[in-house]
């Protein structure tokens, strides 16, 4: 009985260590830049389809947690609703648990 409890205890400790190591690994940050070609809106989530000059396309997901930054300090503040097809956006997103490209921040470039 004691041997069984020791084995179960060691398995629990090993599982906790493995989960701790997995959660401590930082998410990878990726940069994106491109022209918005399509916008989909699902509830409070905006999905921007972009294409860059080098024929790279991204699907960027943004919501109320995504910061919209100004291109220059004199520019008016923008919101997700202000981003239109044809605008050039850039920013970064992190991939961690899911494969979604959830943007941390977006900058709408000046024309």
């Amino acid at each position: 009985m004691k041997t069984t409890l020791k084995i179960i205890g060691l398995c629990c400790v090993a599982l906790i260590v493995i989960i701790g190591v997995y959660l401590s690994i930082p998410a990878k940050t990726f940069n994106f830049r491109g022209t918005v070609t399509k916008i989909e809106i699902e509830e409070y989530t905006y999905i921007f389809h972009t294409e860059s000059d080098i024929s790279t396309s991204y699907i960027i997901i943004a919501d109320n947690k995504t910061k919209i930054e100004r291109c220059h300090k004199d520019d008016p503040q923008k919101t997700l609703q202000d981003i239109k097809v044809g605008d050039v956006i850039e920013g970064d997103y992190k991939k961690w648990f899911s494969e979604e490209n959830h943007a941390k921040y977006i900058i709408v470039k000046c024309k």
Side-chain angles (χ1 to χ4, degrees):
M1 182 72 170
K2 286 185 178 183
T3 308
T4 305
L5 289 176
K6 284 181 183 180
I7 292 173
I8 291 172
L10 286 174
C11 288
C12 289
V13 169
L15 184 63
I16 290 170
V17 169
I18 290 170
I19 290 172
V21 168
Y22 181 73
L23 291 177
S24 68
I25 297 172
K28 292 183 180 181
T29 302
F30 297 94
N31 297 326
F32 66 88
R33 180 185 175 121
T35 304
V36 177
T37 57
K38 180 180 173 184
I39 301 173
E40 298 176 31
I41 302 171
E42 297 177 2
E43 294 185 23
Y44 300 107
T45 304
Y46 284 74
I47 302 170
F48 299 105
H49 297 259
T50 64
E51 192 168 309
S52 69
D53 297 336
I54 56 173
S55 300
T56 304
S57 61
Y58 297 98
I59 297 175
I60 306 300
I61 299 170
D63 60 13
N64 60 352
K65 295 179 186 175
T66 305
K67 293 181 183 179
I68 307 298
E69 298 183 4
R70 301 175 197 189
C71 184
H72 300 289
K73 66 178 182 175
D74 298 335
D75 292 340
Q77 185 64 41
K78 294 199 175 214
T79 63
L80 288 173
Q81 296 87 355
D82 296 332
I83 299 174
K84 305 290 183 223
V85 172
D87 287 347
V88 176
I89 61 173
E90 70 177 38
D92 73 3
Y93 60 90
K94 289 188 175 187
K95 284 194 176 185
W96 196 25
F97 287 116
S98 70
E99 290 299 315
E100 294 182 343
N101 300 343
H102 202 103
K104 191 170 88 175
Y105 74 89
I106 294 175
I107 298 173
V108 181
K109 299 309 269 183
C110 305
K111 293 184 179 183

